[in-house]
Amino acid sequence: MRKGKFKVEDLKVKLIKDTFYNEAQTKKELCDFIMKTDRLSMWTECRKFEDNFAKHQGAKNCSMFTSGSTANLALIQSLINLKRLEKGDTVAFSAVTWSTNVMPMLQLGLNIHPVDVEVDTLNSSAELFEKALEENPSIKAFFITNVLGFCSDIDKIADICKSRGIILIEDNCESLGTIYKGKKLGSYGLAGTFSFYVGHHMSTIEGGALCTDDAELDTMVKMVRSHGMDRNLDEDKKIKVREKFKLDDFYSRYTFYTLGYNLRPNEINGFLGNNQLQYIDEIFRIRNENFMKFISAVNKNDIVPIRYNHIDFVSNFAFPVICKNKTILNKYIKVFENAGIEIRPVVSGNMMNQIFIKDYVGSKKFDLPGAQKIHEDGFYFGNNPDMTKKEINIVIKAFKDASK
Ligand SMILES: Cc1ncc(COP(=O)(O)O)c(C=O)c1O
């Protein structure tokens, strides 16, 4: 097993550079906000962020969460509460994703079916989804992950889902800001989830969101977020729910309508969301410019070129390097680490290789060559909006040195 050779302080190019964009100013404004505000639990800043983020994403409704993971959990719980999914149903997911994309499905009694990904986009395609549907025609929903700001032909996947009555939901925690065929990723399905973890496009330290145009789902998501109560619904929606169950004003305030959790963000998250959203286009632009610089440093003899020309705008926060074979990978790892560049596996590789999942799929074998290739021969490094010219040049030089 490889040992960590470098101390964090020796790293020259970190995976995550700063907590916030325009860090010093943001921290100062955060301190001022904390000193002035009367309330730090979820309130007007979170609400304002939800309005701002919905507008940014082009969605009718947004709910802010404590993380991308809890947005995912609330989404699956809400679909079950609404009986759009039932225990025992099978939900497909992208084989390259994060644990808390898959875990809520297992935790809530759903079966899972992995969909392979293309090596050159890192994402599931319509063709690969069709293959999964042949393997398992009973798939009821597809919780697709848009990996690292890329996609394949998600429009075609949406068409397949529509024609077959399959629910398409998007884990867009890694692709905020990417535009494909004139539409933002995260808006191709019934709902899209987002992460504002410090390493992602925009940071509220920890945080997440769920956007949907479906009013019924939005109401349910907000109840699931808040103990299964109606407390955080808009007045008109609150009245509707109370009338439906013939509740008076006194008891309705402490009525638990449906299965829920406490997944509410706080005003610090909300404030930071509003603050960072003002820089979001600049963040996207710089990361896109960095992405283009890294792309042009890639030696195509060593590395599988990323296919991105079908995407209108790539919003990428970490640059994937998928080597043609293991020998090349080992050479690149050595050169990148010696250059002080912090690297890691691509997302978490092939999810079906993870230890926790074995208990749920038993000895069933899935044919996932794309995800496995990314697992075995890939790594990524950070693409931060505050990278200096010097840091970018360290990366470009590493690409050059590794390909010698
Ligand atoms: C695809 C995907 N989904 C969900 C998450 C979870 O987001 P969070 O860290 O905000 O819980 C991540 C986090 O890295 C992710 O990459």
Side-chain angles (χ1 to χ4, degrees):
M1 194 188 284
R2 287 167 59 241
K3 293 220 173 77
K5 278 186 287 186
F6 297 100
K7 293 192 203 108
V8 175
E9 52 271 29
D10 292 336
L11 288 170
K12 295 194 179 98
V13 182
K14 291 184 193 166
L15 276 169
I16 301 170
K17 197 175 172 193
D18 291 320
T19 307
F20 308 113
Y21 191 69
N22 204 0
E23 175 124 337
Q25 178 69 16
T26 300
K27 281 182 172 166
K28 195 181 161 303
E29 286 170 14
L30 176 61
C31 291
D32 290 347
F33 168 72
I34 291 171
M35 293 310 289
K36 280 186 197 141
T37 189
D38 291 331
R39 179 167 165 170
L40 283 165
S41 59
M42 189 170 89
W43 194 235
T44 49
E45 283 294 322
C46 290
R47 187 54 210 250
K48 192 166 118 193
F49 176 74
E50 290 174 346
D51 291 345
N52 287 339
F53 193 74
K55 205 180 285 167
H56 171 82
Q57 186 59 21
K60 287 191 183 148
N61 308 288
C62 171
S63 303
M64 193 179 193
F65 280 89
T66 49
S67 67
S69 302
T70 54
N72 285 352
L73 174 64
L75 176 54
I76 301 297
Q77 181 72 63
S78 296
L79 292 173
I80 291 174
N81 289 357
L82 290 169
K83 303 199 171 21
R84 298 195 198 179
L85 286 175
E86 284 176 22
K87 288 212 162 123
D89 281 349
T90 299
V91 179
F93 71 98
S94 308
V96 172
T97 185
W98 191 248
S99 61
T100 49
N101 169 275
V102 191
M103 284 180 176
M105 302 191 257
L106 299 173
Q107 285 153 340
L108 296 172
L110 300 168
N111 295 317
I112 54 167
H113 189 100
V115 180
D116 201 14
V117 298
E118 300 169 329
V119 177
D120 60 354
T121 65
L122 293 90
N123 277 270
S124 295
S125 64
E127 192 185 335
L128 291 165
F129 182 45
E130 294 271 24
K131 181 173 161 266
L133 286 168
E134 270 168 37
E135 290 161 0
N136 191 339
S138 66
I139 286 169
K140 291 273 181 357
F142 185 10
F143 197 0
I144 194 171
T145 296
N146 301 318
V147 179
L148 290 180
F150 310 114
C151 65
S152 179
D153 48 1
I154 191 170
D155 53 328
K156 290 200 181 127
I157 292 174
D159 290 344
I160 295 169
C161 287
K162 204 168 171 196
S163 71
R164 293 210 191 195
I166 294 169
I167 300 168
L168 177 66
I169 45 179
E170 290 173 84
D171 181 331
N172 203 45
C173 289
E174 299 191 3
S175 293
L176 171 63
T178 290
I179 302 170
Y180 170 66
K181 292 200 173 170
K183 229 169 127 165
K184 284 191 171 144
L185 291 187
S187 56
Y188 274 89
L190 172 68
T193 58
F194 302 83
S195 165
F196 309 126
Y197 172 61
V198 61
H200 289 207
H201 298 85
M202 190 192 97
S203 159
T204 59
I205 312 174
E206 298 276 4
L210 189 159
C211 289
T212 181
D213 287 347
D214 184 305
E216 185 190 41
L217 179 61
D218 177 59
T219 298
M220 179 56 77
V221 159
K222 287 186 166 76
M223 291 206 281
V224 167
R225 177 178 65 173
S226 197
H227 307 271
M229 301 166 95
D230 68 12
R231 207 173 273 188
N232 300 123
L233 299 181
D234 286 345
E235 265 330 288
D236 56 330
K237 289 185 180 147
K238 223 182 258 179
I239 290 166
K240 254 192 195 163
V241 177
R242 290 176 183 189
E243 278 175 358
K244 184 176 166 194
F245 293 97
K246 300 189 175 42
L247 296 169
D248 67 28
D249 185 51
F250 186 66
Y251 278 105
S252 59
R253 280 181 267 156
Y254 288 87
T255 296
F256 306 106
Y257 298 92
T258 191
L259 290 187
Y261 309 86
N262 180 355
L263 311 173
R264 291 183 309 233
N266 59 51
E267 287 290 270
I268 293 176
N269 304 131
F271 172 83
L272 288 168
N274 291 316
N275 179 292
Q276 293 292 284
L277 208 51
Q278 67 181 311
Y279 306 119
I280 200 70
D281 290 333
E282 198 172 319
I283 293 172
F284 293 157
R285 179 183 56 75
I286 298 170
R287 283 186 147 132
N288 181 272
E289 284 168 11
N290 293 347
F291 172 74
M292 293 303 173
K293 285 176 194 158
F294 300 141
I295 275 279
S296 55
V298 162
N299 179 336
K300 290 182 182 141
N301 294 323
D302 290 352
I303 292 164
V304 179
I306 297 290
R307 190 165 60 81
Y308 65 95
N309 282 331
H310 59 297
I311 302 171
D312 304 341
F313 182 84
V314 173
S315 175
N316 163 265
F317 68 68
F319 190 89
V321 181
I322 317 298
C323 298
K324 295 237 166 126
N325 60 49
K326 197 96 202 143
T327 314
I328 295 172
L329 173 77
N330 288 334
K331 192 163 84 165
Y332 271 68
I333 287 179
K334 208 165 152 190
V335 171
F336 273 65
E337 286 192 337
N338 283 338
I341 302 165
E342 190 176 11
I343 58 170
R344 53 168 273 183
V346 177
V347 193
S348 49
N350 178 359
M351 188 52 67
M352 297 311 285
N353 294 343
Q354 293 290 343
I355 294 167
F356 76 91
I357 222 156
K358 310 265 186 254
D359 288 342
Y360 296 91
V361 293
S363 55
K364 232 188 276 173
K365 289 267 174 291
F366 296 95
D367 181 36
L368 304 164
Q372 193 58 25
K373 168 77 186 162
I374 289 167
H375 189 103
E376 287 177 12
D377 295 335
F379 70 88
Y380 80 47
F381 60 86
N383 170 4
N384 291 298
D386 37 16
M387 276 177 110
T388 60
K389 221 174 181 175
K390 192 173 160 199
E391 287 165 338
I392 291 169
N393 285 337
I394 289 172
V395 173
I396 291 170
K397 185 172 180 304
F399 272 118
K400 219 186 229 168
D401 291 346
S403 68
K404 271 181 196 157

